[in-house]
Amino acid sequence: MVAIQPKQFTVADFHHLGELGFFKPDEAVELIRGEIIQVAPKRTLHSVCNSRLVKTLILKIADQATVRGQEPITLSDNSEPSPDVAIAHNRADEYLTSHPGSDDLHLVIEISDSTLKYDREIKLSVYAEENIVHYWIFNLVEVQLETYSEPYQDNQGNFGYRVKRVYLSDESVNLPGLPNIVIKLSEIFPAT
């Protein structure tokens, strides 16, 4: 008897499928641990929060780093997620030759409503495994920012973060790697 195994894709396979037109032009997909994941449609609250965050970061960061909104990052041979926001070190080629990798990133951010469980479990584990030092979740369900730092692997081989800190929507937070930049969360979370 032959066991049924799902096909595991590499980043090269994923790019090749895109070049062949396998995905619809408006279809949002990402590669997570070899699996092609269809990204959930963005709800209005998510879109507004994302727009406010990207605008604020671009204005405050200016030329100190590169702000990427919903663009891919290449983490390994089998993971290429497209986080809502990534803040990368500046690079002369502006990432024309390759997407940022874990060594290029100050911070990876997800904005979560319907995807909160996925972002807290799967994405968090992937980012920790790939040594993303700082990971944030703008939690739209509880209207708070969750910050994660110090990735580690436990004795069972699971990946996570040692430090989790929660900021309420009326508080401010400093950007990791750019401590002179302060973000007022009330300017990011839409008033509901």
Side-chain angles (χ1 to χ4, degrees):
M1 181 176 279
V2 177
I4 297 173
Q5 291 277 63
K7 165 84 171 121
Q8 291 289 300
F9 295 94
T10 65
V11 169
D13 296 334
F14 184 58
H15 288 186
H16 187 64
L17 288 171
E19 291 163 6
L20 293 173
F22 184 78
F23 309 114
K24 297 175 190 164
D26 61 344
E27 186 175 23
V29 293
E30 57 187 8
L31 185 67
I32 303 294
R33 292 188 172 137
E35 294 182 10
I36 297 172
I37 306 296
Q38 187 166 22
V39 178
K42 310 290 187 225
R43 296 179 181 173
T44 303
L45 187 62
H46 182 287
S47 295
V48 170
C49 184
N50 194 69
S51 295
R52 292 172 87 170
L53 177 60
V54 169
K55 178 181 176 182
T56 299
L57 291 173
I58 288 172
L59 290 173
K60 288 187 177 274
I61 290 173
D63 61 354
Q64 295 179 62
T66 299
V67 178
R68 294 172 53 100
Q70 299 177 335
E71 299 294 333
I73 57 175
T74 303
L75 300 182
S76 64
D77 189 44
N78 69 354
S79 288
E80 190 173 270
S82 295
D84 289 307
V85 178
I87 301 174
H89 301 286
N90 286 328
R91 202 165 82 181
D93 74 344
E94 297 180 321
Y95 296 99
L96 184 61
T97 57
S98 67
H99 297 305
S102 53
D103 291 341
D104 299 309
L105 298 164
H106 286 286
L107 172 63
V108 171
I109 303 170
E110 297 290 355
I111 298 171
S112 301
D113 46 16
S114 64
T115 61
L116 184 58
K117 181 175 171 43
Y118 184 77
D119 292 338
R120 277 182 174 161
E121 294 175 7
I122 305 301
K123 287 268 187 99
L124 183 142
S125 175
V126 168
Y127 293 147
E129 181 177 2
E130 298 300 331
N131 203 36
I132 301 295
V133 179
H134 299 281
Y135 172 47
W136 288 5
I137 297 175
F138 276 83
N139 177 340
L140 298 178
V141 177
E142 298 162 329
V143 194
Q144 63 190 24
L145 171 65
E146 300 172 10
T147 68
Y148 298 88
S149 60
E150 298 185 25
Y152 77 104
Q153 181 179 14
D154 68 19
N155 293 333
Q156 288 76 41
N158 301 308
F159 292 89
Y161 286 90
R162 292 180 188 275
V163 179
K164 174 185 177 183
R165 186 157 185 185
V166 173
Y167 294 85
L168 303 178
S169 62
D170 61 347
E171 296 181 315
S172 297
V173 64
N174 293 72
L175 286 179
L178 302 164
N180 58 318
I181 297 176
V182 178
I183 304 296
K184 289 183 180 179
L185 297 179
S186 62
E187 296 175 0
I188 308 303
F189 285 105
T192 54

